Tab-separated table of all heavy atoms in Angstrom:
chain	number	residue	atom	x	y	z
A	163	LEU	N	-12.802	12.396	5.803
A	163	LEU	CA	-13.602	13.630	5.796
A	163	LEU	C	-15.044	13.303	6.193
A	163	LEU	O	-15.656	14.016	6.993
A	163	LEU	CB	-13.541	14.254	4.400
A	163	LEU	CG	-14.035	15.676	4.230
A	163	LEU	CD1	-13.246	16.656	5.083
A	163	LEU	CD2	-13.950	16.081	2.758
A	167	ASP	N	-12.944	14.093	10.131
A	167	ASP	CA	-11.613	14.707	10.085
A	167	ASP	C	-11.662	15.950	9.205
A	167	ASP	O	-12.350	15.956	8.179
A	167	ASP	CB	-10.582	13.728	9.525
A	167	ASP	CG	-10.319	12.556	10.464
A	167	ASP	OD1	-10.989	12.456	11.500
A	167	ASP	OD2	-9.433	11.748	10.139
A	168	ARG	N	-10.940	16.990	9.593
A	168	ARG	CA	-10.949	18.238	8.826
A	168	ARG	C	-9.554	18.768	8.507
A	168	ARG	O	-9.398	19.590	7.635
A	168	ARG	CB	-11.726	19.338	9.567
A	168	ARG	CG	-13.222	19.063	9.668
A	168	ARG	CD	-13.873	19.114	8.297
A	168	ARG	NE	-15.295	18.784	8.331
A	168	ARG	CZ	-15.801	17.573	8.123
A	168	ARG	NH1	-15.004	16.557	7.883
A	168	ARG	NH2	-17.097	17.376	8.144
A	169	GLU	N	-8.545	18.313	9.247
A	169	GLU	CA	-7.174	18.787	9.025
A	169	GLU	C	-6.340	17.636	8.474
A	169	GLU	O	-6.215	16.594	9.124
A	169	GLU	CB	-6.570	19.308	10.332
A	169	GLU	CG	-7.326	20.472	10.938
A	169	GLU	CD	-7.314	21.711	10.053
A	169	GLU	OE1	-6.262	22.029	9.467
A	169	GLU	OE2	-8.363	22.360	9.936
A	192	SER	N	-8.369	19.025	-2.222
A	192	SER	CA	-8.244	20.325	-1.561
A	192	SER	C	-9.573	21.064	-1.579
A	192	SER	O	-10.011	21.625	-0.572
A	192	SER	CB	-7.164	21.162	-2.251
A	192	SER	OG	-7.106	22.445	-1.683
A	193	LYS	N	-10.235	21.028	-2.715
A	193	LYS	CA	-11.530	21.700	-2.845
A	193	LYS	C	-12.565	21.076	-1.909
A	193	LYS	O	-13.285	21.778	-1.194
A	193	LYS	CB	-11.996	21.619	-4.291
A	193	LYS	CG	-13.326	22.303	-4.549
A	193	LYS	CD	-13.696	22.271	-6.019
A	193	LYS	CE	-14.932	23.099	-6.239
A	193	LYS	NZ	-16.036	22.380	-6.771
A	194	LYS	N	-12.628	19.744	-1.900
A	194	LYS	CA	-13.610	19.060	-1.056
A	194	LYS	C	-13.355	19.321	0.429
A	194	LYS	O	-14.286	19.531	1.198
A	194	LYS	CB	-13.611	17.569	-1.347
A	194	LYS	CG	-14.121	17.229	-2.730
A	194	LYS	CD	-14.799	15.896	-2.736
A	194	LYS	CE	-15.289	15.485	-4.103
A	194	LYS	NZ	-16.258	16.339	-4.709
A	195	VAL	N	-12.090	19.297	0.828
A	195	VAL	CA	-11.749	19.542	2.231
A	195	VAL	C	-12.112	20.976	2.616
A	195	VAL	O	-12.702	21.214	3.669
A	195	VAL	CB	-10.250	19.239	2.489
A	195	VAL	CG1	-9.818	19.728	3.855
A	195	VAL	CG2	-9.980	17.738	2.354
A	196	ARG	N	-11.787	21.936	1.758
A	196	ARG	CA	-12.132	23.335	2.043
A	196	ARG	C	-13.642	23.537	2.127
A	196	ARG	O	-14.123	24.297	2.962
A	196	ARG	CB	-11.535	24.272	0.989
A	196	ARG	CG	-10.115	24.689	1.334
A	196	ARG	CD	-9.555	25.719	0.390
A	196	ARG	NE	-9.075	25.040	-0.813
A	196	ARG	CZ	-9.535	25.265	-2.039
A	196	ARG	NH1	-10.447	26.150	-2.275
A	196	ARG	NH2	-9.061	24.589	-3.057
A	197	GLU	N	-14.399	22.863	1.270
A	197	GLU	CA	-15.860	22.960	1.304
A	197	GLU	C	-16.427	22.491	2.640
A	197	GLU	O	-17.488	22.927	3.059
A	197	GLU	CB	-16.489	22.130	0.175
A	197	GLU	CG	-16.340	22.748	-1.188
A	197	GLU	CD	-16.784	21.805	-2.303
A	197	GLU	OE1	-17.095	20.615	-2.028
A	197	GLU	OE2	-16.798	22.254	-3.460
A	198	GLN	N	-15.711	21.599	3.314
A	198	GLN	CA	-16.138	21.070	4.613
A	198	GLN	C	-15.519	21.863	5.777
A	198	GLN	O	-15.604	21.440	6.930
A	198	GLN	CB	-15.744	19.594	4.735
A	198	GLN	CG	-16.412	18.705	3.719
A	198	GLN	CD	-17.907	18.597	3.935
A	198	GLN	OE1	-18.380	18.506	5.056
A	198	GLN	NE2	-18.658	18.640	2.849
A	199	GLY	N	-14.868	22.978	5.453
A	199	GLY	CA	-14.278	23.820	6.493
A	199	GLY	C	-12.929	23.350	6.991
A	199	GLY	O	-12.471	23.764	8.051
A	200	GLY	N	-12.273	22.511	6.232
A	200	GLY	CA	-10.981	21.969	6.647
A	200	GLY	C	-9.830	22.535	5.847
A	200	GLY	O	-9.981	23.482	5.077
A	201	GLU	N	-8.674	21.925	6.049
A	201	GLU	CA	-7.468	22.337	5.335
A	201	GLU	C	-6.647	21.116	4.974
A	201	GLU	O	-6.535	20.173	5.757
A	201	GLU	CB	-6.627	23.286	6.190
A	201	GLU	CG	-5.407	23.808	5.455
A	201	GLU	CD	-4.503	24.690	6.289
A	201	GLU	OE1	-4.677	24.746	7.514
A	201	GLU	OE2	-3.602	25.300	5.698
A	202	LEU	N	-6.072	21.151	3.779
A	202	LEU	CA	-5.175	20.104	3.320
A	202	LEU	C	-3.827	20.761	3.052
A	202	LEU	O	-3.728	21.649	2.214
A	202	LEU	CB	-5.740	19.452	2.048
A	202	LEU	CG	-4.993	18.237	1.533
A	202	LEU	CD1	-5.990	17.244	0.966
A	202	LEU	CD2	-3.985	18.598	0.488
Side-chain angles (χ1 to χ4, degrees):
L163 193 60
D167 292 4
R168 292 293 177 266
E169 299 296 319
S192 176
K193 181 176 187 240
K194 293 211 182 299
V195 169
R196 273 186 279 119
E197 286 171 353
Q198 297 293 320
E201 184 183 12
L202 186 144

